[in-house]
């Protein structure tokens, strides 16, 4: 049984930092696409950041330079370091995992939730001004 369990959410003031963690069990993230998505009330789910098996990353423009995604294969855990938080970052944050997308150039990942098979239950991030 695959489980993705997020932790690290909370309430912070604008400019603050949080570090989200996602511990995976029943699924090895080493050779997969893994990423963070978020959904604010009344809005569509948004791909925040993803990382592939080679460590290549992709970020939403709204978080570039502020958020960093990383992966510890030994711990089978995904992280999202969030600095310079803004009120517009307020959302439920979900981690997700899925297979690499294969092309002639190799495997890659997209910030498109339709490519992800497994999802965590989410952790709330609230940023106050």
């Amino acid at each position: 049984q695959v489980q993705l369990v997020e932790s690290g959410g909370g309430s912070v003031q604008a400019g603050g930092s949080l570090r989200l963690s996602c511990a995976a069990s029943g699924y090895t993230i080493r050779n997969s696409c893994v990423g963070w998505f978020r959904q604010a009330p009344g809005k569509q789910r948004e791909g925040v950041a993803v990382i592939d098996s080679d460590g290549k990353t992709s970020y939403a423009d709204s978080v570039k330079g502020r958020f960093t995604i990383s992966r510890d294969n030994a711990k089978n855990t995904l992280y999202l370091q969030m600095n310079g938080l803004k009120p517009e970052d307020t959302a439920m944050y979900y981690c997700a995992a899925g297979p690499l997308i294969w092309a002639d150039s190799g495997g890659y990942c997209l910030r498109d939730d339709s490519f992800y098979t497994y999802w965590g239950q989410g952790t709330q991030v609230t940023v106050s001004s």
Side-chain angles (χ1 to χ4, degrees), residues 19-62:
R19 188 193 194 204
L20 305 184
S21 299
C22 173
S25 59
Y27 187 86
T28 301
I29 67 171
R30 179 190 304 271
N31 295 316
S32 303
C33 290
V34 284
W36 292 95
F37 294 77
R38 67 186 180 186
Q39 188 166 23
K43 294 189 177 182
Q44 284 194 327
R45 188 159 56 188
E46 172 191 23
V48 176
V50 299
I51 184 169
D52 73 9
S53 56
D54 290 331
K56 292 193 300 289
T57 57
S58 174
Y59 294 92
D61 288 343
S62 58

Side-chain angles (χ1 to χ4, degrees), residues 41-105:
K43 294 189 177 182
Q44 284 194 327
R45 188 159 56 188
E46 172 191 23
V48 176
V50 299
I51 184 169
D52 73 9
S53 56
D54 290 331
K56 292 193 300 289
T57 57
S58 174
Y59 294 92
D61 288 343
S62 58
V63 307
K64 281 181 182 176
R66 299 188 297 122
F67 290 11
T68 303
I69 189 172
S70 62
R71 185 183 62 215
D72 186 330
N73 291 333
K75 295 183 178 179
N76 213 30
T77 299
L78 179 70
Y79 302 99
L80 184 69
Q81 178 66 44
M82 304 187 294
N83 298 327
L85 282 161
K86 303 176 180 180
E88 51 263 43
D89 294 318
T90 295
M92 185 71 79
Y93 283 70
Y94 300 90
C95 72
L100 290 167
I101 304 165
W102 289 100
D104 290 343
S105 56

